[in-house]
Amino acid sequence: MALAALPLFSYPPYHCSSSIINPSHSRHLQTQSFISPLTKSQPPNNNYLLFQFRPSIHCRCTSHTPNLDFQYVRLVTLFQDIGISFEEANLLLSNASELTSIQLDLLRDRILSLKSLGLGRMSINHIVTKQLNMLTSNEIDPLLNFLRNELQGQVKEAKVKRLLSANEPKELSDFLQKVQLLIDSGIGVDKIGHVLNKVSLSKAIFHRSMEEIESVISFLKRFGGVDLIVKRPATLNYDLDSQLKPRFRVLTELSGGDEDSVGKMVNRYPPILNFRAEHLEEHIVFLRSFAELDDQQIFRIVLACPSIFSRSRERKLRPRLQFLKDCGLDSGDMFKLLIRGPMFLAISFRNNLECKLSFLVKIGYEYRTKELAAALTASSRISCANMQKVVSVCLNYGLSSEDIFAMSKKQPRILQCNHASLEKKIKYLIEEMDRDIQELLDFPAFLGYNFDDRIKYRMKWKLK
């Protein structure tokens, strides 16, 4: 039974330092503490509650407990309900006497509001002990209502816990206005929870004014705006003048001023904004000097594979570009191959390219030839296991290794085909179109056509 529901002296008699308190006494007694009849070796339970009064509180020992002391008891009980120990509650109340003047129902409602946000007992305990004014300040109510009613629990428990325990209530009122600004800028209520869960609230919101947040959003509108923020909320963490503007400047200059294409690239690969402007420039200078590519060619390659900027110049890019040079390719040849298979510069050598290179040599390709370079870059989008299955399908339908080699030299994209799709096309060619498998040697491009939109569609028109 809750203590708040009983008169103070309905419990077994507690002993004062001077005498036994009798409810029939009418005189004032100054008490220092009540001592539980429980022994030290016996833990407290629901039948007995260890309760220590604050020093110098006068208690009228009648059947009616004074309001101040009764409120104090109920507050301790309320705190114990959320996991705050008796000692912690006593310390909190001794440092925040204003709690005794606040309606208990209001405090209980705020605790229930915290629970409705998905906060567990330990989280509420942490918030209250770190920021007790979360229970005493009226400024907290609009935020709790917003998180509960508007966002409907979208914000994760850990984020709410950090938000409430690390900030003063007056700061949270500004936070609510800034979040509303993001919503008004086009981030829907259904997406704002996702954004808040992914950003650093201190960098993106608390340490910025409304005007600074508006400036960031206005700048990003040129490169995807709201879509970019939703896809990569951490974009809001970056400083506008020292981080965002320099990085977009490098990419825009590389594109020749094509902001739309830069926006598409950044939306396709938002982590590109993690790299400093100096890092981006160093990669561009390397591709200019070592591969002898111009800015337009570099941008087209980067547009196809922005993750190139995440690869080490010395450990990843230089060995691959040197391999293409060793195969006899000049800068124009390299550009043509890389624009078709840009992932060649990004994928792993030991677990990917090495396996494919060995496999291609086994089926007939000669080392350090343009044909080998073309086949290897073309196969960069698929796994080595799929390449092996493609060859197995061709062998099962009567083609020899020499035939497969000849076909892939004419049409390297064959090596990119999904083995199941390739088998479907060969089967349709033989069974439905009534053609010979050897015809693929003269026209291997057939295997690269879309099955439904081109092969079957043309066959239906031919039959008509």
Side-chain angles (χ1 to χ4, degrees):
M1 185 178 296
L3 178 61
L6 295 174
L8 179 61
F9 299 109
S10 64
Y11 283 83
Y14 286 82
H15 292 274
C16 180
S17 58
S18 59
S19 64
I20 298 178
I21 298 178
N22 190 329
S24 63
H25 291 177
S26 60
R27 68 178 185 275
H28 289 78
L29 291 177
Q30 181 167 346
T31 63
Q32 295 299 326
S33 63
F34 282 135
I35 304 173
S36 171
L38 296 172
T39 62
K40 291 183 179 180
S41 61
Q42 187 177 11
N45 55 41
N46 291 333
N47 296 324
Y48 299 98
L49 176 66
L50 179 63
F51 177 73
Q52 183 172 347
F53 277 100
R54 291 171 295 171
S56 301
I57 290 183
H58 289 75
C59 173
R60 182 181 300 274
C61 299
T62 65
S63 58
H64 301 286
T65 305
N67 291 334
L68 179 62
D69 295 331
F70 190 55
Q71 174 79 347
Y72 196 79
V73 175
R74 300 177 74 183
L75 286 171
V76 172
T77 306
L78 180 63
F79 285 149
Q80 288 181 325
D81 286 343
I82 60 173
I84 298 177
S85 69
F86 167 77
E87 290 79 8
E88 290 174 322
N90 215 17
L91 180 61
L92 288 173
L93 291 171
S94 65
N95 293 328
S97 58
E98 66 273 14
L99 278 173
T100 58
S101 62
I102 298 177
Q103 293 183 3
L104 193 66
D105 289 343
L106 179 60
L107 297 178
R108 184 179 288 109
D109 288 343
R110 285 178 182 159
I111 291 176
L112 290 175
S113 293
L114 293 174
K115 288 183 178 180
S116 68
L117 297 177
L119 295 173
R121 187 177 177 184
M122 295 297 294
S123 296
I124 297 175
N125 184 334
H126 178 81
I127 293 169
V128 172
T129 53
K130 290 287 184 180
Q131 291 284 357
L132 185 60
N133 51 8
M134 288 297 167
L135 295 181
T136 63
S137 175
N138 293 329
E139 294 172 319
I140 191 62
D141 293 329
L143 177 63
L144 296 180
N145 291 334
F146 177 79
L147 293 173
R148 182 181 64 251
N149 299 330
E150 299 297 328
L151 299 190
Q152 299 178 351
Q154 293 183 53
V155 183
K156 294 180 180 178
E157 177 182 357
K159 207 73 172 182
V160 176
K161 176 183 174 181
R162 195 177 305 117
L163 173 68
L164 298 180
S165 62
N167 300 281
E168 295 289 335
K170 60 182 180 180
E171 297 174 334
L172 294 176
S173 61
D174 294 336
F175 169 79
L176 185 55
Q177 296 175 11
K178 294 170 184 177
V179 171
Q180 190 61 51
L181 172 61
L182 295 177
I183 295 174
D184 294 340
S185 299
I187 301 175
V189 174
D190 58 327
K191 300 290 178 59
I192 193 65
H194 162 73
V195 172
L196 295 178
N197 285 327
K198 296 295 182 181
V199 299
S200 168
L201 296 179
S202 58
K203 290 181 180 179
I205 299 179
F206 279 113
H207 294 165
R208 282 182 177 157
S209 65
M210 296 280 286
E211 292 73 19
E212 289 173 327
I213 295 175
E214 286 179 334
S215 297
V216 171
I217 295 173
S218 177
F219 176 79
L220 291 176
K221 283 182 179 178
R222 295 159 51 187
F223 303 99
V226 171
D227 291 339
L228 177 59
I229 293 173
V230 172
K231 184 174 291 186
R232 183 78 171 181
T235 305
L236 291 174
N237 295 339
Y238 301 126
D239 180 77
L240 178 60
D241 294 321
S242 64
Q243 294 178 311
L244 286 178
K245 285 185 176 180
R247 295 168 191 183
F248 275 105
R249 174 186 55 77
V250 172
L251 297 175
T252 303
E253 289 177 356
L254 181 65
S255 71
D258 189 351
E259 291 187 350
D260 289 340
S261 295
V262 172
K264 291 177 182 177
M265 178 178 64
V266 174
N267 274 272
R268 181 180 178 186
Y269 186 69
I272 196 172
L273 295 177
N274 291 345
F275 304 111
R276 296 176 294 106
E278 295 78 9
H279 175 89
L280 300 175
E281 289 174 334
E282 288 167 358
H283 269 62
I284 293 169
V285 170
F286 172 78
L287 292 172
R288 284 180 191 146
S289 60
F290 190 76
E292 299 179 354
L293 300 170
D294 60 36
D295 284 3
Q296 184 180 6
Q297 291 173 327
I298 294 172
F299 183 73
R300 287 187 61 187
I301 294 171
V302 170
L303 190 61
C305 184
S307 61
I308 287 175
F309 284 113
S310 67
R311 301 304 188 262
S312 167
R313 294 186 299 277
E314 296 302 320
R315 290 187 297 103
K316 293 280 187 179
L317 301 185
R318 185 184 293 275
R320 288 160 176 71
L321 292 173
Q322 186 61 55
F323 170 80
L324 297 181
K325 286 184 176 184
D326 293 343
C327 289
L329 277 69
D330 58 22
S331 61
D333 295 331
M334 278 193 278
F335 170 70
K336 291 177 182 177
L337 289 184
L338 292 176
I339 202 66
R340 295 172 186 166
M343 287 300 296
F344 171 77
L345 296 176
I347 57 180
S348 165
F349 176 77
R350 184 173 299 277
N351 298 321
N352 198 318
L353 289 177
E354 184 180 36
C355 173
K356 294 174 182 177
L357 180 61
S358 176
F359 181 76
L360 291 171
V361 171
K362 285 181 180 180
I363 65 173
Y365 283 93
E366 294 183 15
Y367 192 60
R368 292 187 176 180
T369 60
K370 290 185 178 181
E371 291 81 5
L372 176 62
L376 192 58
T377 53
S379 66
S380 61
R381 294 181 181 273
I382 63 169
S383 66
C384 187
N386 187 81
M387 285 178 60
Q388 294 172 345
K389 290 178 181 178
V390 166
V391 172
S392 296
V393 168
C394 294
L395 292 174
N396 291 339
Y397 278 93
L399 294 171
S400 66
S401 298
E402 292 75 13
D403 293 336
I404 298 170
F405 171 63
M407 289 166 53
S408 64
K409 284 181 65 177
K410 289 184 179 179
Q411 192 69 27
R413 288 183 60 189
I414 291 174
L415 299 174
Q416 295 182 17
C417 293
N418 177 274
H419 67 94
S421 175
L422 187 78
E423 184 171 14
K424 182 190 295 185
K425 294 171 186 177
I426 294 177
K427 185 177 181 180
Y428 189 83
L429 175 74
I430 297 172
E431 297 180 1
E432 300 296 331
M433 299 178 66
D434 196 23
R435 309 299 287 265
D436 190 89
I437 188 69
Q438 295 297 320
E439 293 186 43
L440 290 176
L441 298 177
D442 297 324
F443 191 62
F446 171 84
L447 297 176
Y449 291 162
N450 182 280
F451 181 70
D452 292 315
D453 296 339
R454 191 162 186 180
I455 296 176
K456 289 184 69 176
Y457 181 77
R458 287 192 174 188
M459 188 61 184
K460 288 179 180 179
W461 274 100
K462 185 176 180 180
L463 291 175
K464 289 181 179 180

